[in-house]
Amino acid sequence: MKALGTQLAVELFDCDENLLNDNNLLERSLIEAATNAGATVVDSVFHQFNPYGISGAVIIAESHVAIHTWPEYRYAALDIFTCGNEADPDTIAGEVKAVLRAERMEVSRILRGVTVGEQERTYAQTPT
Amino acid sequence: MKALGTQLAVELFDCDENLLNDNNLLERSLIEAATNAGATVVDSVFHQFNPYGISGAVIIAESHVAIHTWPEYRYAALDIFTCGNEADPDTIAGEVKAVLRAERMEVSRILRGVTVGEQERTYAQTPT
């Protein structure tokens, strides 16, 4: 089944809680993971909450990577949305899991834009 | 079943293609929809692609709202992630659907962080 994009809802359990509260590390890691997975990074925005927890999003030419962390539960919700064939979302998931030293990962996969433009669609036409 | 957060993957079909390529309108609309739904907007980043298509993310205290548009298919992929009880993700979905004049909407719902901190969790501890 063809789709415009693939979205992964990635649950990262039992992470290193200190890493989950390191804003710079998280931003750098998501950018690096996206780049290593073949994505083109466009922009990013990260925010540290008081007393703890970080939310951030990286806009990539292929859509986005976002993360929300709960250090108090050693848990991070990672969200990866890619379109086209250039970027591999599973590579991003695996790399962020390793960086955060998550002991367990669960991945839900959603196809996006499945019924869109079926006659005319080519992957070359996705935003780049 | 309790969860830390709720994520909606919202498919918006048969939208007004001109609206899907209006960067300022999209950013303003997502911020307004999030605010109207009870969320607290923290920051946002939007990017217009050449020749068309926009990707953007709004970081809210309750997680994020992101959108990716394909004006050529009159399609938008909206992604809404909220934690806690303050922000209503369905309100955001409905408002963005109306703004983009989508003729059809499909919503997939994912619970995030379901098994996290079950003993100690209170919603007051989510990032605010």
Side-chain angles (χ1 to χ4, degrees):
Chain A
M1 185 163 53
K2 286 186 178 178
L4 284 180
T6 300
Q7 186 167 10
L8 304 187
V10 183
E11 303 278 271
L12 296 173
F13 299 107
D14 299 322
C15 302
D16 181 319
E17 63 197 77
N18 292 317
L19 302 178
L20 293 183
N21 214 32
D22 187 332
N23 203 357
N24 291 334
L25 172 93
L26 286 173
E27 184 164 15
R28 194 172 65 242
S29 299
L30 259 64
I31 288 173
E32 284 182 3
T35 303
N36 291 341
T40 301
V41 172
V42 173
D43 207 341
S44 64
V45 55
F46 276 70
H47 182 81
Q48 185 144 19
F49 293 95
N50 185 15
Y52 30 60
I54 286 162
S55 280
V58 179
I59 299 293
I60 55 179
E62 299 79 9
S63 292
H64 77 255
V65 184
I67 195 165
H68 308 285
T69 74
W70 280 259
E72 67 272 41
Y73 302 132
R74 301 176 62 207
Y75 165 76
L78 177 66
D79 179 46
I80 306 168
F81 188 144
T82 60
C83 63
N85 296 320
E86 295 299 319
D88 174 29
D90 292 284
T91 296
I92 298 174
E95 194 163 319
V96 176
K97 173 183 186 286
V99 166
L100 298 179
R101 298 176 192 158
E103 291 177 12
R104 190 161 60 88
M105 176 169 80
E106 289 177 9
V107 179
S108 301
R109 195 173 301 260
I110 303 173
L111 296 179
R112 304 298 301 259
V114 170
T115 60
V116 173
E118 288 183 332
Q119 298 305 313
E120 69 227 278
R121 184 173 66 232
T122 68
Y123 281 109
Q125 289 176 305
T126 54
T128 54
Chain B
M1 185 163 51
K2 286 187 180 178
L4 283 180
T6 299
Q7 186 167 9
L8 304 187
V10 182
E11 303 279 270
L12 297 172
F13 300 107
D14 301 322
C15 302
D16 182 318
E17 62 197 78
N18 293 317
L19 302 178
L20 293 183
N21 214 32
D22 188 331
N23 203 358
N24 290 335
L25 172 92
L26 287 173
E27 183 164 15
R28 194 173 65 241
S29 299
L30 259 65
I31 288 172
E32 283 182 4
T35 304
N36 291 341
T40 300
V41 172
V42 173
D43 207 342
S44 64
V45 55
F46 277 70
H47 183 80
Q48 185 144 19
F49 292 96
N50 185 14
Y52 30 60
I54 286 162
S55 280
V58 179
I59 299 293
I60 55 178
E62 299 79 8
S63 291
H64 76 254
V65 184
I67 195 166
H68 308 284
T69 73
W70 280 258
E72 67 272 40
Y73 301 131
R74 301 175 62 207
Y75 165 76
L78 178 66
D79 179 47
I80 305 168
F81 189 143
T82 60
C83 64
N85 295 320
E86 295 299 318
D88 174 29
D90 292 284
T91 296
I92 298 174
E95 194 163 319
V96 175
K97 173 183 186 287
V99 166
L100 298 180
R101 299 175 193 160
E103 292 177 12
R104 191 161 60 88
M105 176 170 80
E106 289 178 8
V107 179
S108 301
R109 196 173 299 261
I110 303 174
L111 296 179
R112 304 297 303 258
V114 170
T115 61
V116 173
E118 287 183 333
Q119 298 306 311
E120 68 226 277
R121 184 173 66 232
T122 69
Y123 282 109
Q125 289 175 305
T126 54
T128 54

